[in-house]
Amino acid sequence: SDSGLVSLTMVLNSPTCGSDTAQVVLTVIPAPNTVITALPDTLCWGSVTSITATGGGTYNWTNNGAITSTIFASPLSDSVFTVIVNNSYNCPDTDSVTIHVIPPGIPNAGSDITSCSSDSVPVSGTVLNAGQMYWSSLGDGSFTDSTQQNTIYLPGPNDTAAGSTIIVAYATGACLNLTDTMLLVYSHPPFVNTGPDTLISDGNGSGVQIPLATITGYTNSVHFSTSGTGTFSPNDSDVTGFYIPRSEE
């Protein structure tokens, strides 16, 4: 295209009055020649890239409204960054660059688990955008194979004493490897103690009431049963109740 000075001439002719000439000079300013450089233009998720535009006097980035020639960005997915460049005569030019983002390895340790304190615990995880995952514990237990997505956790004595353990899943083989956690809670098995054996004399047993004197732990419900024919008072779920034997017992 033309640039610099351009002279335009107009000539008017009249059969009776001769001719007239007019001239105008146009100054043609070239548009900016915008060039965008991104370093790097492909990056790991969570990383930062530097994007620089050249070729103008003023800059306006449409993504974030920045007015500097260089911006810094940390996109979470593939993104296009566009700049509008103006020269000193306010002639505009537009250019864009695409930043490619490599997604992270995302593990999933699964939902929290409640298990009996002495039991081994099956754990099952998944992983996205990565070749593999492995397990770790913040307690003192161990895994039958920590490199398998589906494995068994064997709680240690400190785990059960503390009442819980945090299990961590790690992604491996990705550009950026993330982690996920799962809470393993240990539930103590219930215990019950109905006191010492009771001896009653032979007889019809009428009116005899044997206190149950029950002690329980790690449970909120008790159910009594008998191999005989007696009854429980006031019912078979009251730890402060009595057993009333029948004469045939």
Side-chain angles (χ1 to χ4, degrees):
S1 60
D2 293 331
S3 62
L5 301 178
V6 177
S7 178
L8 302 179
T9 302
M10 176 179 290
V11 179
L12 298 178
N13 292 302
S14 172
T16 58
C17 299
S19 62
D20 189 21
T21 300
Q23 189 176 64
V24 63
V25 176
L26 299 180
T27 302
V28 180
I29 306 299
N33 182 21
T34 306
V35 176
I36 294 182
T37 303
L39 295 174
D41 59 3
T42 300
L43 67 156
C44 294
W45 184 90
S47 299
V48 177
T49 182
S50 171
I51 308 173
T52 300
T54 59
T58 62
Y59 302 87
N60 183 11
W61 296 88
T62 61
N63 302 75
N64 58 7
I67 57 174
T68 55
S69 60
T70 298
I71 62 172
F72 297 91
S74 181
L76 301 181
S77 59
D78 289 357
S79 301
V80 176
F81 290 83
T82 300
V83 64
I84 301 173
V85 176
N86 286 273
N87 59 18
S88 59
Y89 292 90
N90 206 32
C91 297
D93 187 31
T94 301
D95 198 8
S96 299
V97 65
T98 299
I99 305 300
H100 300 283
V101 179
I102 302 173
I106 305 174
N108 184 346
S111 301
D112 295 343
I113 297 175
T114 299
S115 173
C116 288
S117 58
S118 59
D119 289 351
S120 58
V121 184
V123 293
S124 179
T126 58
V127 64
L128 295 175
N129 308 322
Q132 200 173 0
M133 63 170 287
Y134 69 94
W135 297 94
S136 179
S137 168
L138 300 187
D140 65 338
S142 60
F143 297 88
T144 55
D145 188 343
S146 63
T147 64
Q148 297 297 315
Q149 293 186 20
N150 302 315
T151 188
I152 304 294
Y153 182 68
L154 308 173
N158 292 341
D159 291 344
T160 54
S164 64
T165 307
I166 294 178
I167 304 297
V168 186
Y170 299 83
T172 61
C175 184
L176 176 69
N177 296 300
L178 302 183
T179 63
D180 188 34
T181 60
M182 174 260 288
L183 180 64
L184 177 55
V185 178
Y186 304 103
S187 176
H188 292 276
F191 69 83
V192 62
N193 185 352
T194 56
D197 294 342
T198 300
L199 178 65
I200 60 175
S201 302
D202 290 338
N204 60 17
S206 176
V208 175
Q209 294 184 337
I210 303 172
L212 298 176
T214 302
I215 300 173
T216 62
Y218 302 108
T219 183
N220 56 10
S221 64
V222 172
H223 175 72
F224 295 98
S225 64
T226 177
S227 60
T229 58
T231 59
F232 296 95
S233 175
N235 55 60
D236 59 6
S237 299
D238 192 331
V239 297
T240 62
F242 300 87
Y243 179 69
I244 304 172
R246 291 184 182 274
S247 59
E248 56 265 28
E249 294 182 277

